[in-house]
Amino acid sequence: MQEYEVQRRIRNYFTEPQDVPETPSYTIKSYLSLLSSLKISADSIKMQRRIKKYCELQKSLSNCHDLLRIPELILQQSSFNNFQSCQILIHKKGGQVVKSLFFHQNHLQDSSLPVAIFNKISLTIKKSKNKRFDQGNLDLHGLEILGPFLAQVLDSEKYNSIIVISHNGFLPPSHEEEDDFYHFINKLSPFLSDLIYQNEIKDRNSIANQIINNIPFAFQVNKDEKIIHNSGKREPYDTHYDLSNNHEYRTEKLNLKSSSQHYHTERVHLLGELLNTLKHELMNPLFGLNLGIQMLEAPENEEDTKLFLDEMLLSVSRSQNILNNFSTLYNDTNHSEHINIEQLISEVITLTKSETKHIKKNITISEEIIVKINKTSLSQIIFNMIVNAAQSIKHKYPNDSYGLINIDIYREKNECIICISDNGTGIKEDILKKIFTPFFTTKEHGTGLGLTICQSLINKSNGAITIVNNKNGGATFEIRLKDCK
Amino acid sequence: MNILIIEDEPLIRKSLVKLLERAGATTTAEALGEKALDKIRNNSYDRIVCDLMLSDITGFDIIEGSKVYYTAEKVSAMFIIITAYSSEQVLERAKSYGCKLIQKPFDNITDVIEQIMEPI
């Protein structure tokens, strides 16, 4: 009788409740009586053994719904009494990280490995012709077992797994053990995928729970009959929660403020690098032009030639200044220096030229004011304010040139106050409250970080920023800076 | 005075040649680092004005290469480095060779020509 037919009948035997004997324990006697009822010849000892082991496996698996217990379960099978350790490697297709379960001396070690290591082991196992492996010779990284071992690779739709068992001794496994192993793995295979999947769900749920519990505000969600709530304990400003340790699940940085800082720093760094490259590439040709023009200057030149050469020199000079100013805007250094406010604001205004075309800009200042502050920070703040003002104006007057930005700078004791006022749309009351919140934006393609960053830069420089709506429309941003002379 | 100019930006190179010749020097100009090293090997120069960022190798490579033919002292007296770079590492390294370093773009071209023409 074909083996599969036997198995089918056994399976039926187990799934049809009315055929289950009264005593729930499956003894060897009941197996043999089952066999006799199936009219299998007693000579087929091998067949009997296999069926017995199959029943044993079925029974173990029916009680086990936890992937983490599988290595232990394998070692508990009677065929594998002499085996000391069992390791299972699981690779979810497409993932970068491989799960390793190593059971040895009553202890389960759950860890992770990179895919490359898994692939190497898998390839070694698959390529082997005699399937006799010895860790002493192979020394495969990632395998915790010692000495000669049995191994099998299982490829399923979602996962690739490797199952390894070893005596952890010197002698290779017997032929019978080998046989039993491969048959066993065959039988285990369909269950394994399900177990892996269930374990994955469990992991995912535990991480989701961690995330939910760490969100720094309280909430309650009713779904079906389940209530999920969170105590909303607030964590200090700068912490973030790293839930990734050895999984490929995305980490969620939950503290919005610190993540917006991080985003900004990365962006500034990237832009700084790009600008540096640009600056160096353009610097040489511009300097070349400068020298070349100077070479053309000669007392015998006509008036026209002189005029043009002068203009060309100015043009080159302006280009060099723009490059230098942009570099300041995206410079990464942290140090403060004495800065002439009027000069800095003028420089920044040239950088906003494309945004502020057709908008009149007035700078009013009564004396020379110097502030000790980080040049990059202040440049970024002013740049942001002017661009915001310009965008608000364009919103109100898309086609006309009534736009006006007034910049008033004055000193109060040792504070410098910069007021940037526009005649744009102004800011609605309910938005005013949220305007500094990270990721809050009213613009279609806005990042919502501009003002957040400004506020944090100003705070860092021990300053303050306030916004008021103007009586005649538009808004005024007032920046107060200390360390002013 | 025999001066070798190693600079790959054409306008800068040609301008320096013209200005130094007007000041009375004999000049040779080269845009490629490897070729410049050949010239250094086969000729003797009073001064070498060398850009750091060339298209094939760096000015530092050329200085190292010259050490084969000249003493370290001669090298530090002979070379004048011109560069747009102002980073700490570059400045430190230039200092370690003991050579004069002039930042590009030049604030005052006349000053720079004077510095290059200074007797050794």
Side-chain angles (χ1 to χ4, degrees):
Chain A
M1 195 186 280
Q2 295 286 350
E3 186 181 323
Y4 78 84
E5 178 60 37
V6 171
Q7 287 174 21
R8 191 186 64 81
R9 291 198 187 192
I10 294 175
R11 228 176 280 135
N12 290 344
Y13 180 87
F14 281 120
T15 52
E16 281 158 4
Q18 55 267 44
D19 290 335
V20 170
E22 271 145 19
T23 49
S25 62
Y26 301 103
T27 61
I28 294 180
K29 224 176 164 184
S30 60
Y31 293 144
L32 291 176
S33 69
L34 166 63
L35 292 179
S36 62
S37 77
L38 294 173
K39 294 190 173 70
I40 293 173
S41 101
D43 292 331
S44 174
I45 298 174
K46 205 173 175 187
M47 181 80 83
Q48 288 176 37
R49 256 186 1 102
R50 262 194 231 151
I51 292 167
K52 180 178 112 193
K53 290 183 188 194
Y54 180 63
C55 296
E56 187 186 4
L57 170 63
Q58 287 277 59
K59 180 180 157 207
S60 317
L61 286 174
S62 63
N63 292 331
C64 173
H65 301 287
D66 185 1
L67 174 71
L68 300 178
R69 295 209 47 227
I70 293 293
E72 192 183 347
L73 187 148
I74 294 177
L75 292 176
Q76 279 168 355
Q77 302 300 302
S78 55
S79 332
F80 307 131
N81 271 333
N82 290 326
F83 286 90
Q84 299 293 321
S85 54
C86 171
Q87 186 173 6
I88 303 184
L89 301 170
I90 300 158
H91 173 224
K92 182 175 181 185
K93 288 190 182 174
Q96 290 303 315
V97 168
V98 166
K99 191 181 187 75
S100 162
L101 298 170
F102 175 57
F103 188 83
H104 175 69
Q105 287 175 342
N106 272 323
H107 172 69
L108 178 71
Q109 204 179 307
D110 186 344
S111 57
S112 298
L113 297 170
V115 190
I117 290 189
F118 178 94
N119 288 336
K120 186 153 189 245
I121 302 173
S122 176
L123 208 62
T124 312
I125 296 170
K126 282 181 175 175
K127 276 201 309 190
S128 161
K129 295 211 172 88
N130 62 8
K131 301 293 176 197
R132 306 200 132 250
F133 308 104
D134 189 334
Q135 177 70 337
N137 294 336
L138 293 170
D139 194 24
L140 286 167
H141 277 289
L143 286 185
E144 307 285 346
I145 48 84
L146 303 169
F149 61 90
L150 295 171
Q152 174 90 316
V153 177
L154 292 176
D155 288 336
S156 77
E157 193 190 316
K158 277 203 242 171
Y159 311 102
N160 292 335
S161 324
I162 302 176
I163 304 180
V164 174
I165 55 172
S166 168
H167 292 292
N168 273 18
F170 296 108
L171 300 173
S174 67
H175 283 288
E176 195 179 304
E177 284 175 326
E178 260 190 75
D179 237 18
D180 286 341
F181 178 69
Y182 292 118
H183 282 283
F184 175 85
I185 297 299
N186 249 338
K187 307 292 182 281
L188 175 66
S189 176
F191 300 102
L192 191 61
S193 285
D194 280 339
L195 288 167
I196 298 174
Y197 179 65
Q198 280 171 29
N199 181 266
E200 213 190 313
I201 300 287
K202 209 170 61 165
D203 272 353
R204 234 186 265 171
N205 285 346
S206 95
I207 287 181
N209 278 327
Q210 258 190 292
I211 293 175
I212 290 170
N213 285 327
N214 283 308
I215 291 175
F217 47 83
F219 64 86
Q220 184 168 305
V221 173
N222 296 356
K223 187 185 170 159
D224 304 332
E225 274 150 16
K226 237 183 148 183
I227 298 175
I228 305 164
H229 71 265
N230 156 299
S231 64
K233 52 186 200 284
R234 288 203 155 271
E235 291 296 323
Y237 185 95
D238 277 323
T239 50
H240 67 266
Y241 301 95
D242 184 357
L243 303 171
S244 67
N245 54 0
N246 59 3
H247 293 292
E248 68 246 33
Y249 303 116
R250 296 258 158 87
T251 55
E252 295 295 324
K253 288 204 183 128
L254 295 162
N255 192 310
L256 294 177
K257 270 195 176 154
S258 73
S259 78
S260 75
Q261 291 277 41
H262 184 73
Y263 176 80
H264 174 72
T265 316
E266 277 193 20
R267 218 159 165 223
V268 166
H269 188 70
L270 179 66
L271 279 165
E273 282 187 18
L274 289 173
L275 275 167
N276 219 18
T277 311
L278 191 69
K279 186 184 173 188
H280 280 120
E281 291 303 304
L282 287 178
M283 201 290 303
N284 257 357
L286 281 172
F287 182 45
L289 281 170
N290 178 295
L291 280 182
I293 296 167
Q294 288 187 61
M295 297 305 295
L296 289 174
E297 285 171 339
E300 58 271 19
N301 282 346
E302 289 181 3
E303 276 302 318
D304 282 349
T305 314
K306 283 193 177 126
L307 270 164
F308 275 104
L309 290 176
D310 281 341
E311 278 306 324
M312 285 159 76
L313 271 179
L314 279 175
S315 221
V316 169
S317 212
R318 245 190 18 246
S319 310
Q320 286 169 320
N321 278 337
I322 289 173
L323 277 179
N324 284 332
N325 289 342
F326 264 116
S327 293
T328 326
L329 196 60
Y330 288 102
N331 200 313
D332 261 338
T333 58
N334 260 325
H335 77 279
S336 1
E337 47 188 308
H338 293 281
I339 299 180
N340 181 314
I341 293 291
E342 188 181 3
Q343 192 182 359
L344 180 124
I345 295 183
S346 307
E347 281 172 11
V348 172
I349 286 180
T350 57
L351 296 175
T352 63
K353 253 197 169 154
S354 61
E355 287 283 338
T356 58
K357 267 191 202 155
H358 310 304
I359 298 177
K360 199 156 185 289
K361 298 165 283 264
N362 290 331
I363 303 181
T364 321
I365 186 170
S366 55
E367 52 178 318
E368 188 186 64
I369 299 177
I370 313 274
V371 175
K372 184 163 186 239
I373 194 172
N374 178 267
K375 194 170 186 190
T376 313
S377 298
L378 189 57
S379 304
Q380 285 175 354
I381 295 165
I382 305 288
F383 182 82
N384 223 292
M385 307 256 123
I386 294 178
V387 168
N388 275 348
Q391 285 173 345
S392 154
I393 288 172
K394 272 186 267 194
H395 205 73
K396 188 163 183 193
Y397 305 113
N399 296 317
D400 312 304
S401 43
Y402 303 130
L404 176 62
I405 297 179
N406 282 322
I407 304 171
D408 294 310
I409 314 155
Y410 55 95
R411 186 151 64 99
E412 248 177 38
K413 294 207 183 148
N414 71 334
E415 265 192 349
C416 166
I417 297 147
I418 306 170
C419 289
I420 301 175
S421 176
D422 63 74
N423 61 347
T425 57
I427 304 166
K428 293 201 194 104
E429 273 305 317
D430 56 336
I431 295 181
L432 256 183
K433 287 181 271 177
K434 298 189 250 180
I435 206 169
F436 290 113
T437 319
F439 304 113
F440 173 79
T441 179
T442 55
K443 298 178 184 147
E444 202 181 307
H445 296 295
T447 57
L449 289 177
L451 284 172
T452 315
I453 304 293
C454 282
Q455 188 178 50
S456 99
L457 288 174
I458 288 173
N459 287 340
K460 253 199 223 168
S461 317
N462 284 325
I465 180 170
T466 43
I467 319 172
V468 280
N469 279 313
N470 300 335
K471 291 193 194 89
N472 301 329
T476 302
F477 283 72
E478 183 190 89
I479 305 166
R480 292 180 163 259
L481 301 169
K482 299 234 161 81
D483 290 318
C484 172
K485 288 206 242 295
Chain B
M1 202 184 219
N2 202 2
I3 307 182
L4 173 64
I5 296 158
I6 315 172
E7 162 67 61
D8 68 342
E9 181 66 44
L11 269 174
I12 302 178
R13 189 175 65 244
K14 292 180 186 181
S15 303
L16 283 173
V17 163
K18 242 317 173 297
L19 288 166
L20 287 168
E21 284 189 349
R22 281 190 199 162
T26 323
T27 62
T28 319
E30 183 50 64
L32 294 169
E34 291 290 352
K35 290 213 174 135
L37 272 173
D38 280 338
K39 291 201 160 89
I40 293 175
R41 186 191 11 233
N42 296 324
N43 302 293
S44 109
Y45 299 98
D46 298 308
R47 194 132 263 153
I48 302 178
V49 178
C50 184
D51 183 23
L52 278 186
M53 203 46 67
L54 299 164
S55 51
D56 52 349
I57 54 179
T58 72
F60 290 133
D61 294 327
I62 296 181
I63 296 179
E64 290 290 333
S66 308
K67 279 190 176 167
V68 176
Y69 312 108
Y70 299 101
T71 63
E73 263 176 13
K74 183 93 182 16
V75 163
S76 74
M78 210 171 38
F79 273 83
I80 293 186
I81 297 172
I82 55 175
T83 179
Y85 287 96
S86 50
S87 70
E88 280 302 311
Q89 305 101 291
V90 168
L91 297 179
E92 281 301 311
R93 194 160 175 202
K95 236 197 236 176
S96 75
Y97 289 117
C99 313
K100 198 172 214 143
L101 182 120
I102 303 178
Q103 291 268 356
K104 282 198 281 190
F106 306 147
D107 289 322
N108 185 324
I109 185 70
T110 332
D111 268 347
V112 172
I113 298 297
E114 259 176 50
Q115 283 181 57
I116 298 174
M117 291 297 294
E118 239 177 67
I120 317 153

